[in-house]
Amino acid sequence: MRVRAFAKINLSLRVLGTRPDGYHELRTVFQSIALHDTLTVRRVRGPLQLVCNDDAIACDRTNLVWRAADALWVSMRRRGSARDVAIDLRKRIPIQAGLGGGSSDAAATLRALQKLWRVDPQCVREAAVRLGADVPYFLEGGTVLGLERGDVLFPLIDRPRQWVVLVIPPFGVSTPEAYHWLDVARRLQPSGRRSSKSFARHNDLEPVVAKRHPAIARIVRDLAKAGAACAAMSGSGSAVFGLFGSRAAAEKASKSMKFRAILTRTLSRAEYRRLAAN
């Protein structure tokens, strides 16, 4: 069985504060894009097997794919660790880029194993929530408002298709570090005196990440100059996206970027659900 794990961008990301559980209170709009990893899942005898074409990806119990299989196994009230399945992960989504690759891989694993093991959908949802705040979104797809940790989801009307230029600088950004930088910045600048510029591009993490990685701000400016209707960092970075109305305009912009650029497009919810299983 083969399934696709699509990336996302955050069309907006507001960080409202820290929650009692240690997570951050968010208001974010997720958008699916066509860039994807591919997982091939097959039955085998014995312990779970995981292989990946990217040497930077750990193929052990720390991997979200492995954790997803174990979480679903536990939801089914089975003992021990997941077994009798082999998963081949083909990575295309850059890591530490704010594109949700790991969470999407986990959700794709849940979808595949739901079919393979004939699991109740409620078990899948419970496993997704335990795995991480972004994972439930990847069971939904399309344009979605995420509240609380980002895991309370409200599907929105799909936006018209747009072409997306993703610019990937030669460094990654740790999500915990990005949120820590924002927390420190806000402690140093009380909310009553907080600059309105922190909301200018609809991603509250962008200014603090760009302070440590100035290339982020330069990429945003370059995409805007190239004609992007909107340009911003996705999630906690390091990827920056630009939205374009036509493929021709997006192709022209991608060729002008100084760093690696990936041309893709947005996906509607119906497209997401149709393509995710193929």
Side-chain angles (χ1 to χ4, degrees):
M1 178 188 306
R2 188 184 69 176
V3 292
R4 293 171 177 167
F6 290 99
K8 60 82 178 169
I9 54 176
N10 297 83
L11 297 177
S12 67
L13 176 57
R14 310 292 193 181
V15 184
L16 304 185
T18 305
R19 296 160 48 93
D21 60 9
Y23 284 88
H24 287 78
E25 186 77 16
L26 304 180
R27 298 290 184 273
T28 187
V29 177
F30 297 107
Q31 174 63 58
S32 300
I33 57 176
L35 175 68
H36 64 275
D37 296 339
T38 303
L39 293 85
T40 302
V41 181
R42 57 189 176 86
R43 295 181 186 274
V44 297
R45 288 188 178 275
L48 184 147
Q49 301 172 25
L50 174 61
V51 296
C52 181
N53 65 324
D54 187 340
D55 292 338
I57 304 296
C59 292
D60 57 24
R61 295 180 187 278
T62 64
N63 190 296
L64 270 171
V65 168
W66 195 306
R67 289 168 55 195
D70 275 347
L72 195 56
W73 190 265
V74 170
S75 291
M76 296 162 59
R77 295 177 174 79
R78 295 185 178 179
R79 293 182 179 180
S81 298
R83 57 181 293 112
D84 298 335
V85 66
I87 303 173
D88 185 335
L89 173 60
R90 302 286 100 180
K91 289 293 295 181
R92 292 181 63 225
I93 303 172
I95 61 175
Q96 288 197 320
L99 300 174
S103 294
S104 187
D105 293 340
T109 301
L110 294 176
R111 292 197 307 270
L113 294 180
Q114 178 183 9
K115 294 180 180 178
L116 197 67
W117 292 341
R118 299 180 181 179
V119 182
D120 184 275
Q122 183 59 31
C123 290
V124 175
R125 289 190 290 269
E126 291 172 359
V129 169
R130 290 200 302 273
L131 285 165
D134 282 358
V135 178
Y137 163 70
F138 288 104
L139 297 177
E140 181 72 29
T143 310
V144 174
L145 173 66
L147 304 181
E148 297 189 10
R149 299 188 309 158
D151 58 344
V152 177
L153 304 173
F154 296 88
L156 303 176
I157 296 174
D158 285 314
R159 299 161 60 97
R161 178 185 292 181
Q162 291 180 292
W163 290 91
V164 182
V165 175
L166 294 174
V167 182
I168 314 297
F171 55 84
V173 175
S174 160
T175 297
E177 282 193 347
Y179 279 95
H180 172 70
W181 295 337
L182 180 64
D183 291 340
V184 171
R186 287 182 169 178
R187 285 198 296 268
L188 295 176
Q189 184 179 28
S191 58
R193 299 170 57 191
R194 198 175 298 162
S195 169
S196 62
K197 290 182 180 179
S198 64
F199 298 96
R201 296 191 185 97
H202 309 288
N203 184 341
D204 288 348
L205 293 173
E206 186 180 312
V208 295
V209 174
K211 183 176 181 180
R212 286 145 179 95
H213 297 288
I216 297 290
R218 291 197 296 270
I219 295 169
V220 171
R221 290 194 298 268
D222 289 345
L223 283 166
K225 289 178 182 177
C230 171
M233 187 179 78
S234 181
S236 57
S238 61
V240 177
F241 68 88
L243 301 180
F244 294 83
S246 72
R247 177 169 187 148
E251 286 180 340
K252 182 178 179 181
S254 68
K255 292 175 182 177
S256 70
M257 295 297 110
K258 298 179 177 64
F259 299 119
R260 176 190 175 198
I262 300 172
L263 179 64
T264 185
R265 65 176 180 87
T266 59
L267 291 177
S268 68
R269 187 168 301 105
E271 285 181 303
Y272 182 92
R273 293 180 175 179
R274 175 172 57 84
L275 294 172
N278 296 296

